[in-house]
């Protein structure tokens, strides 16, 4: 008997074999599936089924019925995505989606989420087993370094982890920023988002700042770093352990500055569970201690 998969997709190949050597392969209908005479490599040509025969010199033969299934539909969609953002892939039919490397990009119902810089392959598999693939490049999203609080009249320069780009402010009346240098001037009380768009990738990193009146400032408030603050594991699948010398509040935000979680922490070791609704991707964790100090940590969530 010949062995091997008894089905193949249109446009793809599979190989049949036989323990008896020296024979030749033939197809009853090359319009449905052709076969290499000495190799047993079967190529699907059109939907249907045909008999593949292996014959030896004595006249004895083995006949295998091979089904040819429709090729999986092509995947359409962008070729790249930024860390912490998502794009949508589409394909007809009732297939399922998967990613070759979920630490780089994850996919659910065709929505591809960028997790970390790199490239991977997204696969769309039909119930027949036929599949199509599309590569996706995950580009680096700038991480912004800036304080969470400013007082009216304050000035400072924000920093980006990526060089070359343009700075912008969501509310110049609250805090303006120089497009080329990241120089921020606090104008009036309120909330503002400072963004940096990288020229090389088009990816946007953002950070939220609250501008206070002088009367709102808390005595001793600084923009320093907590002496001891750690967050692990990172990347995480949802559970986090945070160690800090002082109590305070940790806010989890998307790369574009949208708050998706807030947690009260006590001095010492804290364990939190991120919401199951959060998509895989990169997030910023902002900790504000009871002593007024701040800490910013970039976190990667995997699903």
């Amino acid at each position: 008997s010949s062995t091997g998969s008894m089905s193949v997709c249109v446009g793809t190949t599979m190989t049949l074999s036989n323990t008896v050597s020296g024979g030749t392969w033939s197809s009853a209908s090359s319009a449905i599936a052709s076969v290499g005479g000495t190799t047993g490599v079967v190529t699907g040509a059109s939907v249907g089924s045909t008999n593949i025969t292996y014959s030896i010199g004595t006249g004895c033969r083995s006949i295998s019925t091979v089904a040819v299934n429709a090729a999986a539909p092509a995947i359409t969609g962008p070729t790249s995505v930024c860390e912490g953002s998502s794009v949508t892939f589409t394909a007809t039919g009732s297939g399922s989606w998967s990613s070759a490397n979920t630490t780089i990009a994850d996919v659910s119902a065709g929505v591809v989420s960028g997790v970390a810089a790199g490239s991977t392959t997204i696969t769309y598999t039909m119930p027949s087993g036929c599949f199509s693939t599309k590569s996706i490049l995950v580009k680096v999203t700038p991480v912004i370094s800036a304080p969470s609080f400013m007082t009216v009249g304050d000035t400072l320069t924000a920093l980006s982890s990526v060089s070359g780009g343009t700075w912008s402010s969501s509310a110049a009346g609250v805090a303006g920023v120089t497009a080329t240098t990241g120089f921020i001037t606090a104008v009036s009380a309120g909330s503002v988002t400072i963004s940096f768009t990288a020229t090389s990738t088009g990816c946007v990193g953002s950070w939220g700042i609250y501008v206070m009146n002088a009367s709102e400032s808390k005595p001793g408030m600084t923009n320093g770093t907590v002496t001891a603050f750690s967050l692990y594991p990172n990347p995480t699948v949802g559970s986090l352990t945070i160690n800090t010398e002082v109590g305070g509040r940790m806010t989890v935000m998307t790369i574009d500055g949208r708050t998706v979680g807030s947690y009260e922490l006590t001095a010492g070791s804290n364990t939190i569970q991120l919401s199951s609704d959060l998509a895989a991707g990169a997030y910023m964790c902002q900790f504000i201690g009871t002593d007024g100090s701040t800490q910013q940590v970039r976190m990667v969530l995997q699903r």
Side-chain angles (χ1 to χ4, degrees):
S1 297
S2 298
T3 58
S5 173
M6 295 305 162
S7 66
V8 67
C9 305
V10 172
T12 65
T13 63
M14 62 88 170
T15 302
L16 293 176
S17 61
N18 199 290
T19 57
V20 178
S21 61
T24 58
W25 299 89
S26 62
S27 171
S29 176
S30 295
I32 294 176
S34 61
V35 62
T38 59
T39 62
V41 176
V42 179
T43 303
S46 62
V47 176
S49 62
T50 187
N51 289 334
I52 303 296
T53 301
Y54 182 72
S55 304
I56 58 177
T58 62
C60 296
R61 61 187 179 177
S62 172
I63 300 175
S64 304
T65 301
V66 173
V68 181
N69 298 310
I75 300 172
T76 60
T79 57
S80 64
V81 64
C82 298
E83 290 176 296
S85 298
S86 62
V87 294
T88 300
F89 280 0
T90 58
T92 59
S94 56
S96 59
W97 297 89
S98 62
S99 169
N101 190 340
T102 56
T103 64
I104 292 177
D106 201 3
V107 61
S108 175
V111 177
V112 182
S113 301
V115 179
S119 60
T120 189
T121 300
I122 304 299
T123 300
Y124 184 69
T125 305
M126 300 296 289
S128 64
C130 298
F131 62 89
S132 55
T133 61
K134 185 176 179 65
S135 296
I136 185 77
L137 171 68
V138 180
K139 300 179 292 187
V140 174
T141 293
V143 177
I144 308 305
S145 296
S148 301
F149 295 94
M150 293 179 69
T151 302
V152 173
D154 283 352
T155 59
L156 59 89
T157 300
L159 300 176
S160 168
S161 62
V162 176
S163 60
T166 304
W167 294 90
S168 61
S169 168
S170 65
V174 176
V177 60
T178 304
T180 56
T181 64
F183 184 77
I184 302 172
T185 301
V187 179
S188 64
S191 297
V192 63
T193 298
I194 301 299
S195 301
F196 179 81
T197 303
T199 301
S200 59
T201 63
C203 295
V204 180
S206 301
W207 190 250
I209 296 175
Y210 178 70
V211 177
M212 302 175 292
N213 289 313
S215 59
E216 294 180 83
S217 300
K218 298 178 181 179
M221 175 174 281
T222 69
N223 290 316
T225 300
V226 175
T227 303
F229 181 92
S230 62
L231 178 151
Y232 63 93
N234 191 10
T236 179
V237 294
S239 181
L240 288 171
T241 298
I242 302 107
N243 292 320
T244 175
E245 282 190 340
V246 297
R249 175 180 290 271
M250 186 180 79
T251 303
V252 180
M253 293 176 286
T254 58
I255 294 297
D256 61 2
R258 180 170 54 87
T259 298
V260 293
S262 184
Y263 306 89
E264 292 292 338
L265 304 180
T266 59
S269 180
N270 301 261
T271 300
I272 66 170
Q273 186 68 40
L274 299 173
S275 171
S276 59
D277 294 334
L278 288 185
Y283 294 86
M284 289 300 297
C285 296
Q286 175 191 21
F287 175 75
I288 302 175
T290 53
D291 60 353
S293 57
T294 64
Q295 177 76 36
Q296 300 170 18
V297 178
R298 184 174 181 273
M299 176 194 70
V300 174
L301 175 62
Q302 298 174 351
R303 293 298 191 189

